[in-house]
């Protein structure tokens, strides 16, 4: 910020000197050459850009600005020329401050990103910055930790949550020598990986790359503003010639030019787009380019992936139902029994039961003999008693009898997308544990908000129709809006159908499996930064905090930005036209015309500055629900 202020002060010094000298120039010394030199220095960055445009035979708004200044100097209107230059320098200052704030906002986002990883040097484990991890380094991944770089598993085995890649929350076992992708979460015990893909290819590097490139490309509306400014300059030039030809009054014609030359339009587009990226960053959203801001205002459909997007992506215990006793103590004993057997299993369902017991601080039972039986469960023995845990089919194979009432309860739960796990003792059914993925706490509210705002909502899932029907009921969506049993290609086809009708869609998904659909949509929104760079590259927006409430936030902020840009264009154009008309008819002087122009600039800049004030309009209120 100090460099920005210092640059502004140095550049502003030259027109200020001219203004002061012109005000006290009692001897009427010539100021043309000092004025030309001083103002060229003050406008040096713009002058260089203008020369490049001339060299490449392009007409840019910067050329109009310079012509205005030099013409004023030539006509000895040094004070007006200097005032004009101060306006432009002030605009540059405002723009630079905004861009600085954008960079600061993007830097703040990195607090949510994984900055460090653990590498093993000899017997010592050292935490270092992810950027410092090199190929062939031994990466140590602790339980619950994230793999910071792609690598080869060098431990005997590992249990991984690769939901970012598969789109499903199914922990999988990996054997020694298997490639482990960056972003995988250690769902088991400590393991080690030999790094094979690091540096610029790492997740953190990809996110930083997005942050650096955000806002560089002009959005269509910014390009429209540039064209609007260019043609306004051309029209103003013809009008100036016409006025001079009809009246012969050079100063009236020049007043029209000063009023109409669109200096402030050079600031509206890039500054507003930069603020858009900055405001999105403040609410935990990375926007890859400024074009996305405008695209977000043209959306008709919003399409959601299910697992890991609308849901947490992690199976959890929904309920425990006992055959005989149904009290807190009995339920805890039942969980302790089930978790004790499931400790020997690495299945996702087993881990959900163990997590539930651990979260309730239940002492898990110990079994001397536990056997995994291929086909759905485990058997165990303790103190002469025989136990079994698993699916209904598995327990029936163990000659366990299910009564009709309990069978009906289980069937109803399964229709709601829950997975039952049954436990028996000595051939007698004790009860069941019902497992389900959980909706994110904010999901119902987000769906309601977006419905109220008039968007057509769709859910595309690879799950079966039964689960799809249940989620449509849970979220109060028409069943026709929820498609089941879809492959990634099916999702792309659905989105293409929308886009072919010129009905633009947002696709919200997580993981690599959603990357094609994210690319197919007008705007792709990726949930979180847990994975490799494939989904990040495919998406236009990344929700750093994995909070669905950010979707209506970013859409509404995009609409607000475009609205402010339109307000800027209308207000500035109106003032320019009024000032031009007054100048042509001699109602106001050249200096007063310049003041009018400055007023339009101040109004536009003040209106644009409102975009910095961002408020989160939506709060998480709902409790987790199961699907």
């Amino acid at each position: 910020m100090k460099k920005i202020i210092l640059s502004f002060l140095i550049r502003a010094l030259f027109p200020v000197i001219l203004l002061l000298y012109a005000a006290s120039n009692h001897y009427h010394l010539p100021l043309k050459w000092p004025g030309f030199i001083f103002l060229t220095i003050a406008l040096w960055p713009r002058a260089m850009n203008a020369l490049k445009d001339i060299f490449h035979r392009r007409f840019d708004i910067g050329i109009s600005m310079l012509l205005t200044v030099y013409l004023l100097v030539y006509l000895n209107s040094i004070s007006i020329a200097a005032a004009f230059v101060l306006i432009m320098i002030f605009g540059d200052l405002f723009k630079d401050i905004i861009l600085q704030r954008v960079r600061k906002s993007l830097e703040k986002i990195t607090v949510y990103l994984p900055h460090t990883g653990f590498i093993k040097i000899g017997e010592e484990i050292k935490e270092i910055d992810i950027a410092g991890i090199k190929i062939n380094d031994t990466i140590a991944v602790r339980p619950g930790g994230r793999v910071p770089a792609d690598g080869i598993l060098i431990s005997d085995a590992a249990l991984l949550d690769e939901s970012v890649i598969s789109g499903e929350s199914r922990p999988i076992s990996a054997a020694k020598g298997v490639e482990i992708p960056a972003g995988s979460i250690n769902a088991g015990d400590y393991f080690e990986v030999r790094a094979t893909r690091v540096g610029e290819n790492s997740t953190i590097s990809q996110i930083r790359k997005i942050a650096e490139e955000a806002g560089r490309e002009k959005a269509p509306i910014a390009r429209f503003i540039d064209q609007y400014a260019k043609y306004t300059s051309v029209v103003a030039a013809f009008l100036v010639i016409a006025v001079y030809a009809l009246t012969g009054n050079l100063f009236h014609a020049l007043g029209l030019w000063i009023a109409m030359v669109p200096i402030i339009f050079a600031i509206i587009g890039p500054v507003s787009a930069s603020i858009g990226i900055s405001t999105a960053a403040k609410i935990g959203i990375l926007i890859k380019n400024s074009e996305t801001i405008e695209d977000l205002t043209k959306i008709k459909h919003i399409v959601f992936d299910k697992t890991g997007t609308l849901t947490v992506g992690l199976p959890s215990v929904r309920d425990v139902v006992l055959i005989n006793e149904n009290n807190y103590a009995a339920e805890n004993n039942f969980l302790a029994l089930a978790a004790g057997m499931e400790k020997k299993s690495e299945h996702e369902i087993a881990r959900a039961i163990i997590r539930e017991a651990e979260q309730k601080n239940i002492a898990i039972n110990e079994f001397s003999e536990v056997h995994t039986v291929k086909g759905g469960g485990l058997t165990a023995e303790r103190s002469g008693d025989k136990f079994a845990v698993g699916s209904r089919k598995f327990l029936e194979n163990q000659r366990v009898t299910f009564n009709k009432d309990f069978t009906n309860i289980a069937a109803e739960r399964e229709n709601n997308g829950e997975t039952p796990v049954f436990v028996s003792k000595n051939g007698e059914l004790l009860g069941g544990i019902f497992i389900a993925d959980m909706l994110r706490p904010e999901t119902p509210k987000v769906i309601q908000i977006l419905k109220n705002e008039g968007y057509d909502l769709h859910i595309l899932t690879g799950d079966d129709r039964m689960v799809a029907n249940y989620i449509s009921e849970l979220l109060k969506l028409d069943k026709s809006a929820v498609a089941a049993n879809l492959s990634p290609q099916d999702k792309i086809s659905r989105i293409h159908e929308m886009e072919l009708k010129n009905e633009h869609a947002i696709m919200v998904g997580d993981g690599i499996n959603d990357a094609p659909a994210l690319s197919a949509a007008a705007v792709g929104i990726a949930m979180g930064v847990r994975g490799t760079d494939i989904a990040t590259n495919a998406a236009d927006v990344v929700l750093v905090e994995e909070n669905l409430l950010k979707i209506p936030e970013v859409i509404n902020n995009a609409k607000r930005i475009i609205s402010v840009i339109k307000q800027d264009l209308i207000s500035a154009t109106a003032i320019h036209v009024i000032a031009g008309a007054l100048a042509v008819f001699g109602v106001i002087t050249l200096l007063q015309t310049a003041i009018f122009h400055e007023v339009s600039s101040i109004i536009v800049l003040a209106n644009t500055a409102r975009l910095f004030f961002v408020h989160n309009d939506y709060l998480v209120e709902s409790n987790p629900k199961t699907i």
Side-chain angles (χ1 to χ4, degrees):
M1 185 62 73
K2 289 181 180 178
K3 289 178 66 176
I4 294 173
I5 299 298
L6 181 61
S7 174
F8 166 75
L9 292 175
I10 292 173
R11 291 176 61 194
L13 179 65
F14 293 96
V16 168
I17 290 173
L18 284 176
L19 284 170
L20 294 174
Y21 188 66
S24 61
N25 188 7
H26 301 295
Y27 298 102
H28 303 288
L29 296 176
L31 288 176
K32 283 187 180 180
W33 281 108
F36 179 83
I37 294 170
F38 274 41
L39 295 182
T40 299
I41 295 172
L43 293 173
W44 187 254
R46 291 178 179 270
M48 289 296 97
N49 289 332
L51 285 174
K52 289 179 183 177
D53 289 331
I54 293 171
F55 180 77
H56 292 289
R57 298 181 181 179
R58 293 193 305 257
F59 179 81
D60 189 78
I61 193 173
I63 298 173
S64 298
M65 298 179 198
L66 289 174
L67 287 175
T68 304
V69 172
Y70 293 150
L71 184 58
L72 287 168
V73 172
Y74 177 77
L75 295 173
N76 281 322
S77 298
I78 304 297
S79 297
I80 297 175
F84 232 65
V85 170
L86 276 176
I87 294 171
M88 287 188 275
I89 294 173
F90 177 77
D92 288 343
L93 171 66
F94 186 77
K95 178 183 174 182
D96 289 342
I97 289 174
I98 288 174
L99 293 175
Q100 176 72 4
R101 289 187 65 173
V102 170
R103 284 189 288 270
K104 290 291 184 183
S105 295
L106 292 170
E107 287 173 6
K108 287 179 181 179
I109 284 183
T110 59
V111 302
Y112 302 110
L113 302 176
H115 282 284
T116 62
F118 294 91
I119 63 170
K120 187 175 182 181
I121 304 173
E123 294 301 317
E124 180 185 1
I125 295 177
K126 183 179 180 182
E127 184 176 11
I128 66 169
D129 190 282
I130 282 182
I133 298 176
K134 299 175 182 178
I135 292 177
N136 293 325
D137 276 351
T138 298
I139 300 172
V141 187
R142 296 172 176 175
R146 188 196 314 272
V147 180
D150 288 353
I152 302 297
L153 182 64
I154 56 178
S155 297
D156 290 334
L159 187 65
L160 302 170
D161 172 5
E162 290 189 359
S163 56
V164 67
I165 296 169
S166 65
E168 300 296 334
S169 56
R170 180 178 59 192
I172 62 171
S173 297
K176 186 174 183 179
V178 169
E179 184 174 352
I180 307 296
S184 300
I185 298 173
N186 184 354
D189 297 326
Y190 169 90
F191 63 82
E192 296 175 357
V193 172
R194 176 172 57 81
T196 58
R197 192 165 176 257
V198 298
E200 293 182 357
N201 294 321
S202 67
T203 301
I204 187 68
S205 295
Q206 292 298 318
I207 295 302
R208 286 173 178 164
K209 182 180 179 181
I210 291 174
E212 290 169 2
E213 293 181 353
R216 288 184 183 176
E217 296 296 324
K218 288 185 178 179
I221 194 164
R223 294 192 289 271
F224 165 77
I225 293 170
D226 286 348
Q227 292 295 317
Y228 181 81
K230 183 187 297 183
Y231 290 122
T232 300
S233 299
V234 173
V235 170
F238 279 113
L239 289 175
V240 167
I241 294 170
V243 168
Y244 181 67
L246 292 171
T247 67
N249 191 317
L250 178 60
F251 285 94
H252 284 183
L254 186 57
L256 175 62
W257 176 254
I258 291 172
M260 295 293 291
V261 66
I263 294 175
I264 196 63
F265 293 158
I267 300 171
I268 294 174
V271 165
S272 299
S274 296
I275 292 179
I277 293 168
S278 175
T279 54
K282 287 180 180 179
I283 57 174
I285 297 168
L286 280 173
I287 297 179
K288 290 178 66 174
N289 55 68
S290 55
E291 185 172 346
T292 300
I293 295 171
E294 187 173 359
D295 289 340
L296 283 165
T297 67
K298 301 176 181 179
I299 297 300
K300 177 177 175 61
H301 304 278
I302 301 180
V303 181
F304 294 91
D305 173 46
K306 183 185 74 67
T307 305
T309 301
L310 293 175
T311 69
V312 176
L314 188 69
S316 302
V317 172
R318 173 68 178 106
D319 199 5
V320 175
V321 179
L322 306 184
I323 296 295
N324 296 318
E325 299 177 273
N326 283 287
N327 55 62
Y328 185 76
E331 182 179 308
N332 284 356
N333 290 336
F334 184 77
L335 276 172
L337 180 68
M341 289 186 281
E342 295 287 12
K343 278 178 65 177
K344 303 297 182 179
S345 171
E346 293 184 346
H347 193 277
E348 57 178 321
I349 298 298
R351 301 199 66 79
I353 294 171
I354 294 167
R355 278 196 304 272
E356 181 72 8
E358 290 174 343
Q359 288 170 4
K360 291 186 174 182
N361 295 317
I362 296 172
I364 297 174
N365 292 167
E366 294 293 335
F367 290 86
S368 56
E369 293 185 26
V370 178
H371 303 284
T372 301
V373 180
K374 188 176 181 180
L378 301 118
T379 60
E381 293 185 15
R382 188 182 64 179
S383 302
D385 293 318
K386 294 182 179 181
F387 299 89
V389 58
S391 65
R392 176 180 173 178
K393 183 178 180 181
F394 173 74
L395 263 67
E396 285 178 340
N397 289 338
Q398 301 296 315
R399 299 182 179 180
V400 176
T401 302
F402 283 73
N403 66 57
K404 186 176 180 181
D405 291 340
F406 195 79
T407 300
N408 291 337
I409 291 173
E412 182 179 351
R413 294 300 187 94
E414 286 186 87
N415 287 336
N416 290 341
E418 298 179 14
T419 301
V421 175
F422 304 103
V423 179
S424 68
K425 177 182 179 182
N426 296 326
E428 180 185 356
L429 184 66
L430 300 180
I433 301 171
F434 296 91
I435 314 292
D437 195 0
M438 308 287 280
L439 282 179
R440 293 180 183 275
E442 73 274 14
T443 295
K445 184 177 182 182
V446 169
I447 295 298
Q448 190 59 50
I449 289 169
L450 295 174
K451 282 172 64 178
N452 292 343
E453 293 184 356
Y455 295 104
D456 292 339
L457 306 183
H458 308 262
I459 298 173
L460 306 182
T461 178
D463 278 343
D464 59 38
R465 171 50 59 183
M466 187 165 55
V467 175
N469 288 342
Y470 179 67
I471 193 173
S472 66
E473 294 173 5
L474 195 63
L475 297 176
K476 299 178 181 178
L477 292 174
D478 191 281
K479 290 181 181 179
S480 63
V482 183
N485 298 311
L486 298 182
S487 67
Q489 186 58 47
D490 291 332
K491 294 182 181 181
I492 295 172
S493 297
R494 296 292 182 110
I495 293 171
H496 278 163
E497 288 175 8
M498 300 172 193
E499 295 292 340
L500 286 173
K501 296 177 184 176
N502 203 30
E503 297 178 351
H504 299 304
I506 288 174
M507 173 66 195
V508 187
D510 73 312
I512 292 172
N513 66 312
D514 293 318
L518 293 173
S519 296
V523 176
I525 299 180
M527 292 289 292
V529 293
R530 294 184 297 159
T532 58
D533 58 346
I534 296 178
T536 303
N537 286 340
D540 303 292
V541 177
V542 178
L543 302 184
V544 178
E545 296 179 274
E546 295 194 19
N547 188 338
L548 289 172
L549 285 168
K550 304 305 180 184
I551 295 172
E553 288 286 1
V554 74
I555 293 174
N556 287 346
N557 274 284
K559 289 179 178 178
R560 184 166 169 251
I561 291 160
I562 299 301
S563 175
V564 166
I565 290 175
K566 291 177 180 177
Q567 293 167 18
D568 289 345
L569 284 173
I570 293 170
S571 60
T573 300
I575 295 173
H576 290 178
V577 171
I578 293 170
L582 294 174
V584 167
F585 291 103
V587 178
I588 58 176
T589 65
L590 284 179
L591 182 59
Q592 290 169 332
T593 304
I595 291 172
F596 258 90
H597 199 115
E598 184 175 1
V599 167
S600 75
S601 299
I602 292 171
I603 289 172
V604 166
L605 293 174
N607 188 52
T608 304
R610 292 190 300 113
L611 295 174
F612 275 122
F613 300 97
V614 183
H615 304 284
N616 288 322
D617 299 321
Y618 309 111
L619 301 173
V620 177
E621 295 176 351
S622 55
N623 294 319
K625 295 182 174 66
T626 61
I627 64 169

